[in-house]
Amino acid sequence: MDFLRPSTLEEALAAKSAHPDAVPIMGGTDVMVELNFDKHRPGALIDLTRVPELAAWGPEGDGVRLGAGVPYTRIIAELGERAPALAQASRSVASPQIRNRGTVGGNLGGASPAGESHPVLLATDAVIELASVRGTRRVPAREFYLGLRRTARQDDELITAVLLPRPAGPQHFSKIGTRNAMVIAVANFSLALDAGTRTVGTGLGSVAPTPVRAEEAEEFLAGEFDWDGGAVLDEAVVRRFGELVSSVARPIDDQRGSADYRRHAVGVMARRALSWSVTDYRKSLQDPRGDARCA
Amino acid sequence: MSGTTTRAPGDLSSTTRDGVGASPRRPDGTLKVTGEFAYSSDMWMEDMLWGMTLRSPHPHARIRGIDITGALKLPGVHAVLTHEDVPGEKRYGLEYEDQPVLAFDKVRYKGEAVAIVAADHPETARRALERIEVDYEVLEPVSDSRRAAFDPECPLVHEDGTLPVHEEYNQHGNVVRHQPIRTGAFTGGEALEELRSRAAAVVSTEYEVGMQDQAFLGPESGMAVPAEDGGVDLYIATQWLHVDQRQIAPALGLPQDKVRLTLAGVGGAFGAREDLSMQIHACMLALHTGRPVKIVYNREESFYGHVHRHPAKMRFEHGAEADGTLLYATLEIVVDGGAYASATPAVVGVASSLGIGPYEVPNVKVDAYGVYTTNPPCGAMRGFGAVQACFGYESQMDKLAAELGMHPVDLRIKNAMKQGSRIITGQLMDTPLPMAEMLQRSKDMPLPPAREQLPDPSDLRTLPGGVANTTHGEGVVRGVGYGVGLKNLCFSEGFDDYSTARVRLELIGGEPVALVHTAAAEVGQGLVTVKGQIARTELGVERVTIHPSDTQVGSAGSSSASRQSYMTGGAVKTACEAVRARVFEIARERGLVSPGHPDAVLSLQGGKLVSETDGVLAPLADVLEGGAVEETREFHHRPTHMLDPTFGQGDSHTQFGMCVHRAVVDVDVELGLVKVVALDAVQDVGKVMHPQQLAGQIQGGSTQGLGLALMEEIQVKDSQIRNPSFTDYLIPTILDTPPMRIDVLEHADPNAPYGLRGAGEPPTLSSTPAIVAAVRDATGRALTHAPVRPEDIVGIEL
């Protein structure tokens, strides 16, 4: 197996172009597990740890451009206000050691349906930046996940960044595991409200072959939500929202949980995230000095 | 842990520093904490080869042929061996010799060893395994333990003639052992209807305990080095060097003294190292190639490479009078032993004799079955048959209390055993058993603050689900539950599990130093510290060296059954006493003791020979000038007996230990997630040898019980393990582990050295039912399966 060590993005893209079957490696928290268990034997590894721009984030427009190689620890410490749900999701990842190494880019590269980042990227309408020697393109997260561990990324492309829109309302992320830390998600859910466009974003993980949105639930809630007054929602509305979220789940029974439980759990998480969001939204209306968009 | 209230002993007046009752540092502690300790998987020799094992992909299949030619042709491969290459006995086993060294004729579980390879690189060995062709005829798995026990049409795991015969207990078919127990009205035949009619309350329930894994962190590993005398030296992580030696030597066709074992660094055991794993394989490869051979299992292989806790299916019925007095109890328990017997017969002996728990019940009927299936083999694990029964009988106590409108602790106290009681086998409880007091102390312990009284109730780490942010308090209900368990300590049923110690006292650099040599396995429990404490107390010297454990000294028995402080502690104490007596003799010969001082007034303290009446008589150095004093002693506990095969009566146990737990939980009743808020223990240990290590044992045992209550289960479907990894076999993390208040009692057992009772296992029994009871209290659900799954709490059928 070749171990390629580019030190610039240009070299990295050239390496990926020359070795389309090569697996990029950053923190190694996913790739090394696959290698150690002998699940994959790629022809080459491309070590991206020396490519500086991958490990940096900065403003772009009124949002954030997050390098694909920024570890979860930094997202938690540095992006709590600019990307609250992603920071929340990052906090639920594995252990401190893994969070020091693991990255959103790795989560997207592996594209496990259980990955913590995906529901947030769907709910917040984030955009994935892909680059190759042919150029750079941007794909909305909502069009990125195509099938089980299959994404819109072409073989010669590297995931270079994620574009996170500025929060325009409450955001939340929740994850079910059968212990209180260090656990792969049995089910994930993320909710993001956009007060500017008066739209709702959702993302579900571990309940289908790919991360999915609950579009009907989004539209339903966008119509029912009191965008002007933030009024407490009828219990029936909250319940209906939970049902609509559950209805898009296509879960399986496996060693981590049953399909019925997963379907049930995303519904509960959706109802709770909605009630937290209403509380946040009302708070932001009552306290105009506070940043309404940063729940 | 906060709130630890371990009490220090007051009755031993040792003046020597770091003796019995103190908390000296472990000799291996710093190395382990700094990552420098050499575990068995860290061993290395320049010319060593790597051994690897080919395992069966099928749970049940006939082997039609094995073709190794492709593997042998691979450069770097030094040996490929199958059952045909086993030099001696082709089977081994702890109790029954029923397990093939390498499979022949049939494989009986998925992961069974079929062939072994030695190569100059682990990757070469792995590739060689891929080139071995095994022709299997796949057979129907025998997956259902109840069917194995009761269905005469069930296919046999071991066909006639392939099993050793044990007439009284090994009756038929797939049953390894059936142990009935009958007392009171049940000795006269069918009494159940009459007893039912007299009972004011009857509760009858089926319970299940899942297959728990010991989940030690250091996988099976060791190194075999061929010796010039044709024998082999094996460096191995095990629990009992001599029982390994006893099984390895016949398989190699060697006399016992040609197979020498030395304990390598053990990364946890909990029962999983009681059976052999790679021992014979490494020795075979080393003897075949003439090179040292190292074998290390990886994590997935480890799940197939050791026995697990027996899963149990139990049917209990209890009847009580209106005031709570127990009238009768019946239990049918089937434990699944998997493909090979391992410790199944002994597990049945414990599960039956302690099946109803520490309660006075005049009429009892127990039928305990251990069966063969094609599931993963099960054997020893901390608690050993008593854990499964305890989950059942404690659940029954809670249900009965609810039925009678009594507090669960009051019902338990009403029926509590005490000194002078008899357990259901007729054995007299002839040592202190302050069960009622322990239960009351547990009930009276201060409760943790309510959620709303926490400094920050919104701190996610205090909530079920933790930082995964599933609740900010919604759906969270608090519950409280109790559990008590009775565990036999040391081996039972006629087994003489003696221990041996050699103690040498000599001058090194003018200073007296004791050398303690045993074959006892230090598996993390801290025996290595306790041996030194005993030598210091008995010989009055501060400097003690602990010799590496090996087979150059007599057997120490197993590091299991909570027995090493009792047995090897007893052997070290006895050997020290013999050394001391010899020192007194020498002192007399040298004229250092005047005639008016009998041995009874002499002692060794602070490196000096001391008289009770005249003070210091001489420095110990003066006595030892003429040379070292060395004595070797065996220590035996009182004899025990097999249970009789009809009524299950007999004094089968050596000693008893008890722990009481009170668990407080917060349950997210909508999502089925649990946060254990407090897990407080009351345990009688007879005598505290090392307060800090004792607290560690109680915390560790309680946490292992927590794992069984809430998450730990090897999921087996159609005889296949679904979760052979630490990704999917979950054990508690620090965020799952609550603060533990520990209240230790010291009612001495007069039969035991220093009055001590083994402490490692009892907390593992009681913490599981206490936690499940607390979850029931919060949810109102029946919860008859341990571990409790989120589905069980929210009411989704599995």
Side-chain angles (χ1 to χ4, degrees):
Chain A
M1 185 189 302
D2 292 325
F3 190 68
L4 310 172
R5 302 204 69 195
S7 53
T8 64
L9 184 58
E10 205 177 2
E11 284 174 24
L13 297 178
K16 186 63 174 145
S17 176
H19 305 270
D21 66 331
V23 172
I25 180 165
M26 193 76 199
T29 59
D30 198 8
V31 171
M32 285 313 296
V33 174
E34 300 271 304
L35 290 181
N36 286 334
F37 281 94
D38 207 16
K39 289 187 178 153
H40 297 294
R41 298 211 150 201
L45 290 180
I46 303 176
D47 173 18
L48 297 175
T49 55
R50 301 202 300 174
V51 179
E53 51 266 63
L54 294 178
W57 67 268
E60 181 175 306
D62 61 355
V64 166
R65 181 179 179 279
L66 173 70
V70 175
Y72 293 114
T73 307
R74 284 185 56 202
I75 296 174
I76 299 165
E78 299 167 24
L79 294 176
E81 291 198 355
R82 292 177 181 86
L86 187 63
Q88 235 165 17
S90 302
R91 199 176 166 203
S92 78
V93 172
S95 63
Q97 294 90 332
I98 301 288
R99 292 195 289 273
N100 286 338
R101 302 280 305 174
T103 65
V104 172
N107 224 209
L108 288 165
S112 157
E116 284 84 354
S117 315
H118 311 311
V120 175
L121 301 183
L122 286 175
T124 59
D125 199 11
V127 173
I128 319 295
E129 183 185 279
L130 301 165
S132 71
V133 291
R134 297 178 285 118
T136 297
R137 64 186 179 118
R138 293 183 163 184
V139 178
R142 291 170 179 178
E143 295 164 21
F144 184 72
Y145 308 103
L146 302 181
L148 181 61
R149 291 179 174 269
R150 207 159 52 76
T151 67
R153 189 185 61 78
Q154 300 292 313
D155 280 348
D156 66 341
E157 286 178 320
L158 292 175
I159 298 160
T160 46
V162 178
L163 303 149
L164 305 169
R166 180 175 184 182
Q171 297 185 359
H172 286 283
F173 171 83
S174 301
K175 161 179 153 181
I176 303 269
T178 31
R179 72 180 165 194
N180 290 312
M182 282 275 294
V183 67
I184 291 184
V186 174
N188 280 335
F189 179 75
S190 183
L191 176 66
L193 267 49
D194 187 326
T197 58
R198 300 199 162 187
T199 56
V200 171
T202 60
L204 291 71
S206 270
V207 293
T210 67
V212 290
R213 287 167 70 195
E215 291 178 58
E216 202 183 331
E218 292 173 0
E219 282 161 26
F220 168 75
L221 183 58
E224 295 289 334
F225 195 80
D226 176 12
W227 297 101
D228 295 317
V232 173
L233 294 166
D234 274 359
E235 213 172 289
V237 170
V238 176
R239 196 168 54 240
R240 182 69 188 142
F241 177 67
E243 285 165 6
L244 288 171
V245 167
S246 280
S247 70
V248 299
R250 296 282 177 272
I252 55 165
D253 287 315
D254 69 8
Q255 70 277 13
R256 293 174 194 149
S258 68
D260 288 346
Y261 174 74
R262 289 180 153 113
R263 204 175 288 113
H264 164 82
V266 284
V268 175
M269 286 191 287
R271 295 201 306 263
R272 289 181 182 174
L274 175 52
S275 74
W276 302 336
S277 297
V278 171
T279 307
D280 293 345
Y281 194 85
R282 291 165 65 84
K283 248 188 226 158
S284 71
L285 293 178
Q286 286 158 12
D287 179 14
R289 285 166 307 169
D291 190 342
R293 291 153 300 199
C294 297
Chain B
M1 292 294 144
S2 65
T4 300
T5 56
T6 305
R7 297 196 308 181
D11 57 333
L12 248 196
S13 56
S14 169
T15 57
T16 307
R17 193 169 60 90
D18 290 345
V20 168
S23 283
R25 285 191 179 181
R26 295 177 62 117
D28 55 357
T30 304
L31 288 175
K32 283 180 171 170
V33 170
T34 55
E36 288 172 83
F37 183 81
Y39 288 97
S40 54
S41 52
D42 298 323
M43 291 187 289
W44 182 273
M45 285 179 84
E46 273 307 314
D47 57 341
M48 72 181 192
L49 301 173
W50 295 83
M52 221 170 258
T53 313
L54 182 71
R55 298 179 179 279
S56 165
H58 308 293
H60 199 194
R62 210 164 290 289
I63 298 176
R64 287 191 288 224
I66 305 174
D67 183 357
I68 62 169
T69 46
L72 278 172
K73 281 183 198 156
L74 196 65
V77 171
H78 290 248
V80 182
L81 306 180
T82 69
H83 67 91
E84 290 178 357
D85 304 297
V86 178
E89 296 292 331
K90 287 185 185 292
R91 291 193 190 91
Y92 69 93
L94 271 184
E95 296 189 37
Y96 295 176
E97 280 144 25
D98 63 353
Q99 182 151 7
V101 174
L102 291 166
F104 53 93
D105 299 338
K106 249 177 56 159
V107 287
R108 297 180 178 85
Y109 70 97
K110 182 180 170 179
E112 180 160 0
V114 177
I116 46 176
V117 165
D120 52 15
H121 190 280
E123 178 59 19
T124 311
R126 194 195 63 75
R127 290 179 190 181
L129 295 184
E130 285 180 352
R131 295 175 180 223
I132 300 172
E133 288 174 19
V134 186
D135 182 11
Y136 291 107
E137 177 195 341
V138 175
L139 303 171
E140 181 197 347
V142 180
S143 312
D144 179 349
S145 61
R146 290 192 67 91
R147 187 176 172 222
F150 303 121
D151 179 2
E153 303 297 311
C154 181
L156 291 174
V157 178
H158 296 263
E159 286 86 356
D160 286 345
T162 65
L163 260 187
V165 176
H166 193 308
E167 285 178 11
E168 283 171 323
Y169 304 99
N170 179 15
Q171 294 161 327
H172 58 81
N174 290 317
V175 176
V176 184
R177 178 175 177 186
H178 167 216
Q179 179 61 57
I181 293 177
R182 303 284 185 273
T183 71
F186 289 107
T187 58
E190 202 41 62
L192 191 57
E193 284 311 321
E194 193 270 332
L195 289 165
R196 271 184 189 145
S197 70
R198 284 164 50 198
V202 171
V203 290
S204 171
T205 321
E206 292 188 23
Y207 300 95
E208 280 181 5
V209 174
M211 184 185 289
Q212 191 179 18
D213 188 58
Q214 298 85 351
F216 53 50
L217 297 188
E220 294 81 352
S221 46
M223 172 121 64
V225 184
E228 283 181 7
D229 65 353
V232 62
D233 291 284
L234 178 65
Y235 300 85
I236 182 70
T238 183
Q239 288 179 237
W240 185 358
L241 291 166
H242 284 80
V243 84
D244 283 10
Q245 184 189 37
R246 196 194 77 206
Q247 296 170 90
I248 296 166
L252 299 177
L254 288 174
Q256 299 279 334
D257 62 357
K258 288 270 178 82
V259 180
R260 294 163 294 261
L261 278 71
T262 302
L263 189 71
V266 184
F270 312 106
R273 291 188 214 273
E274 224 168 74
D275 293 78
L276 296 182
S277 56
M278 41 55 69
Q279 282 90 329
I280 300 173
H281 300 162
C283 291
M284 280 172 62
L285 291 168
L287 290 168
H288 190 89
T289 59
R291 301 263 294 265
V293 173
K294 171 174 170 169
I295 297 183
V296 182
Y297 291 177
N298 66 33
R299 181 58 61 195
E300 181 175 357
E301 186 175 22
S302 177
F303 273 93
Y304 296 103
H306 63 254
V307 298
H308 314 288
R309 187 191 298 294
H310 289 77
K313 294 177 181 174
M314 304 181 282
R315 292 176 172 172
F316 276 94
E317 181 171 319
H318 281 74
E321 293 170 25
D323 68 351
T325 305
L326 288 170
L327 185 58
Y328 72 92
T330 68
L331 163 63
E332 178 195 276
I333 174 169
V334 178
V335 300
D336 184 350
Y340 297 102
S342 178
T344 297
V347 166
V348 169
V350 172
S352 56
S353 60
L354 302 179
I356 301 300
Y359 299 105
E360 303 262 16
V361 193
N363 307 289
V364 170
K365 176 178 187 248
V366 172
D367 285 287
Y369 302 85
V371 297
Y372 284 124
T373 64
T374 58
N375 293 327
C378 290
M381 183 175 171
R382 194 178 199 171
F384 203 84
V387 160
Q388 295 89 327
C390 185
F391 173 65
Y393 61 69
E394 286 303 274
S395 299
Q396 285 287 95
M397 287 302 114
D398 291 332
K399 200 169 173 181
L400 197 53
E403 184 88 10
L404 290 164
M406 290 176 75
H407 189 283
V409 168
D410 295 342
L411 178 75
R412 286 170 169 86
I413 289 176
K414 177 101 194 160
N415 296 286
M417 281 190 175
K418 55 186 181 296
Q419 186 166 12
S421 299
R422 287 184 188 276
I423 68 166
I424 59 176
T425 59
Q427 180 165 6
L428 182 68
M429 187 64 65
D430 57 357
T431 54
L433 186 73
M435 176 170 164
E437 179 195 346
M438 291 168 73
L439 282 160
Q440 194 60 49
R441 289 175 83 105
S442 168
K443 191 180 173 188
D444 293 344
M445 276 185 173
L447 283 161
R451 278 209 54 74
E452 52 275 15
Q453 290 166 345
L454 291 176
D456 179 8
S458 65
D459 183 343
L460 290 174
R461 290 169 303 178
T462 68
L463 285 157
V467 297
N469 191 42
T470 46
T471 179
H472 297 167
E474 301 90 339
V476 176
V477 181
R478 180 156 290 189
V480 179
Y482 295 85
V484 52
L486 185 68
K487 179 69 184 55
N488 61 312
L489 309 170
C490 300
F491 281 16
S492 295
E493 295 195 278
F495 199 92
D496 181 18
D497 56 326
Y498 68 95
S499 182
T500 315
R502 182 179 297 151
V503 175
R504 183 182 174 90
L505 188 59
E506 63 189 325
L507 293 179
I508 294 177
E511 208 187 319
V513 177
L515 175 69
V516 179
H517 187 182
T518 77
E522 170 59 49
V523 297
Q525 81 276 44
L527 179 69
V528 73
T529 325
V530 170
K531 287 193 290 193
Q533 291 176 272
I534 292 173
R536 285 189 204 99
T537 292
E538 298 300 329
L539 298 176
V541 297
E542 287 193 4
R543 288 182 55 196
V544 180
T545 306
I546 304 298
H547 191 286
S549 295
D550 57 30
T551 51
Q552 304 305 307
V553 64
S555 174
S558 181
S559 289
S560 54
S562 310
R563 62 178 285 285
Q564 284 293 23
S565 291
Y566 189 135
M567 297 307 299
T568 294
V572 172
K573 179 171 186 276
T574 309
C576 285
E577 286 163 354
V579 167
R580 199 170 58 204
R582 180 66 193 133
V583 167
F584 295 162
E585 241 174 75
I586 295 168
R588 288 180 200 287
E589 287 162 12
R590 297 171 72 96
L592 297 170
V593 181
S594 56
H597 293 80
D599 276 7
V601 304
L602 298 180
S603 62
L604 301 179
Q605 289 185 40
K608 297 180 179 65
L609 175 61
V610 179
S611 153
E612 231 172 66
T613 49
D614 290 16
V616 175
L617 299 180
L620 191 48
D622 289 2
V623 190
L624 295 172
E625 266 174 359
V629 176
E630 181 181 293
E631 297 291 344
T632 303
R633 288 292 182 276
E634 277 183 10
F635 180 77
H636 300 254
H637 58 67
R638 56 178 172 171
T640 61
H641 305 280
M642 279 303 282
L643 299 175
D644 84 69
T646 314
F647 293 113
Q649 299 296 293
D651 292 346
S652 64
H653 298 311
T654 309
Q655 191 189 42
F656 295 97
M658 175 171 281
C659 185
V660 177
H661 270 101
R662 185 190 65 196
V664 180
V665 300
D666 281 340
V667 184
D668 183 334
V669 298
E670 282 184 282
L671 286 175
L673 304 180
V674 179
K675 171 82 180 174
V676 182
V677 176
L679 186 57
D680 301 327
V682 182
Q683 187 168 345
D684 189 348
V685 300
K687 165 80 193 164
V688 180
M689 300 294 284
H690 187 298
Q692 192 184 41
Q693 289 191 168
L694 173 65
Q697 282 295 310
I698 296 175
Q699 290 162 353
S702 302
T703 306
Q704 214 153 14
L706 185 158
L708 180 59
L710 296 177
M711 61 187 84
E712 289 191 43
E713 180 170 9
I714 294 183
Q715 300 171 38
V716 179
K717 196 176 180 192
D718 301 327
S719 291
Q720 315 249 10
I721 299 178
R722 299 171 85 196
N723 55 339
S725 72
F726 282 165
T727 303
D728 286 321
Y729 182 87
L730 301 180
I731 56 177
T733 70
I734 192 66
L735 279 179
D736 301 285
T737 310
M740 297 179 193
R741 221 175 257 279
I742 297 174
D743 181 13
V744 171
L745 307 184
E746 295 182 278
H747 292 85
D749 177 344
N751 301 310
Y754 306 106
L756 71 82
R757 292 167 197 273
E761 288 174 290
T764 313
L765 272 63
S766 43
S767 91
T768 305
I771 291 166
V772 176
V775 178
R776 284 191 198 106
D777 184 44
T779 62
R781 299 267 180 198
L783 305 180
T784 57
H785 179 97
V788 174
R789 298 151 298 198
E791 285 87 347
D792 300 325
I793 293 173
V794 302
I796 289 172
E797 284 212 18
L798 282 168

